[in-house]
Amino acid sequence: MRHRSPTDSGIDADIERALTEWGQSVRETAELRSRHVRVDRTHWLQAILRPYHRWTWALRWAVGLAAIGLVGAGLYFSALRDRASQSVRMANSEWRIANGETRVQNREVPFLSRSLLPRVEDLWPDGPFDPELAVQVHTLLMALRQSGRTTCPDQADGLDFRSETEKVRHLYRTWALTAHRWDDPYGEVLRRLAVIVEPCLSPTQAQTLQVWSQDVNAYLYLAWPTHEK
Amino acid sequence: MDRIDAWVAPSFVLPAVSTLDDEALMVRVRDLDDVEAFEELVRRYEARARRLFLAYFGSSEDVEDGVQLCLLRLFEARRHYRRQDHFPAWFYRLAMNVAHDQWRKRRRWYRLLTRFRDLTVGSPTDADPTTSVQEIEAHRQVLWRQIQTAVQRLPRRQRQVVILRYVEDMSLAEIAETLRMPLGSVKAHLHYALRKIQRWVKSR
């Protein structure tokens, strides 16, 4: 115990001595308690640490699972929304066809996705971009995608393609150019679609496509009776 | 001691805990959740924690709760420990924060308790110190209780300085390092604390 000198600033030496003795008594009491309060460390350490560890691990698992659940739910609802909006687009197209619209009235083309626009635009390397025709080609793309197949027979129009992407691209381009040249987009394009894609479709899908095609053909027949079907 | 949910390297890789200093032990607790190292730290610092809480709360039953809570906080705060921290100073800061939090939660109850104790114990001047050894001892007990009460009435910083100085027997420089304050501030806090204690004891 180090020696303490009395302060010279108005503090009594008695008080400082009393404080020193008090500190000593606290130390002795603590030591006495430490001897008597001899708990089994294994027990209390386990009591402290085990729930702590379990709790933190449970929390980590809970947070991890919640994060995975959130991401999964986000992806699921995103896919659901895409599918719903695509169905709405298809229903709109069918509604327009059923109601006798050969031209898309809405110039803003809201359902034409931006990511697809450049690709559709590429279909017209020689001429100006035609948004109405782009919409029609886009509708066909959607029909093709909804059929569950994006590939076609290896031999199309007698051409042999090196890759699937090139093949599909060529088909789109052919349909679009043909439709543009003939000024009869629905009839010709749908016919070509039916001829090329039908072998790839399931019976239900093929039937749906045929019904749609027949509806459009019937309309086109009424709209242009002079046109050869 | 079982190793609980924590990976601990085999003994031939890590040195025995008894040979390590406090800082190395704390680093092992921090990095490896090493229960064995933590137990060694507890063995070394449990008595100090008990002293601190006894000085804070007198001989109430809250002392043991405080010690347990303090050691639990030590484990919880292991990730905040940095290798360059002087462990005893770091531990004292943590323990005093725990003690102060506990004190703040039950402040009214402690004040009521100390008032009741003052009423029942009386003044040390009532006894004649020359009468007998038992009476001298009783006189000292009363004086210590009054000092305990006076210390509990001090502001936070002054109380911490007094406890570190007279219970932990630290030098002023050590107190300054522990509390992270200039030496002059420590001296000032100590001076004001002693004056308050003196005034309090003399007014009884």
Side-chain angles (χ1 to χ4, degrees), chain A residues 81-100:
Chain A
R81 192 188 58 187
D82 285 352
R83 198 171 162 184
S85 60
Q86 197 175 346
S87 300
V88 168
R89 285 199 298 268
M90 288 305 296
N92 283 340
S93 305
E94 289 180 12
W95 183 86
R96 274 197 293 274
I97 291 165
N99 284 275

Side-chain angles (χ1 to χ4, degrees), chain B residues 144-162:
Chain B
W144 291 345
R145 283 187 189 175
Q146 284 197 343
I147 286 178
Q148 175 78 49
T149 307
V151 169
Q152 287 179 346
R153 292 172 69 91
L154 290 174
R156 181 184 185 182
R157 279 298 184 200
Q158 292 179 12
R159 193 187 324 166
Q160 288 176 346
V161 169
V162 167

Side-chain angles (χ1 to χ4, degrees), chain A residues 2 4 12 27 34 41, chain B residues 46 50 167 169 198 202:
Chain A
R2 75 170 63 84
R4 298 178 192 287
D12 285 351
R27 282 196 294 273
S34 295
R41 283 202 169 81
Chain B
E46 184 186 356
R50 186 165 284 116
V167 177
D169 201 22
Q198 178 173 291
K202 285 192 172 174

Side-chain angles (χ1 to χ4, degrees), chain A residues 41-147:
Chain A
R41 283 202 169 81
T42 307
H43 278 299
W44 73 256
L45 265 179
Q46 280 178 343
I48 289 175
L49 299 180
R50 186 166 280 166
Y52 178 83
H53 272 276
R54 280 182 185 165
W55 184 78
T56 51
W57 279 112
L59 186 69
R60 285 176 197 175
W61 273 103
V63 169
L65 288 175
I68 291 169
L70 277 174
V71 171
L75 288 173
Y76 175 74
F77 283 112
S78 170
L80 212 63
R81 192 188 58 187
D82 285 352
R83 198 171 162 184
S85 60
Q86 197 175 346
S87 300
V88 168
R89 285 199 298 268
M90 288 305 296
N92 283 340
S93 305
E94 289 180 12
W95 183 86
R96 274 197 293 274
I97 291 165
N99 284 275
E101 292 182 27
T102 53
R103 297 282 179 182
V104 176
Q105 300 299 321
N106 188 358
R107 285 269 173 188
E108 293 175 7
V109 206
F111 52 85
L112 194 61
S113 73
R114 287 181 181 279
S115 61
L116 199 62
L117 259 177
R119 288 165 56 194
V120 176
E121 208 166 2
D122 288 344
L123 298 175
W124 287 271
D126 305 326
F129 174 62
D130 182 352
E132 287 180 4
L133 198 58
V135 170
Q136 289 155 11
V137 173
H138 178 69
T139 309
L140 286 174
L141 294 180
M142 289 298 113
L144 195 63
R145 284 182 185 173
Q146 277 215 329
S147 72

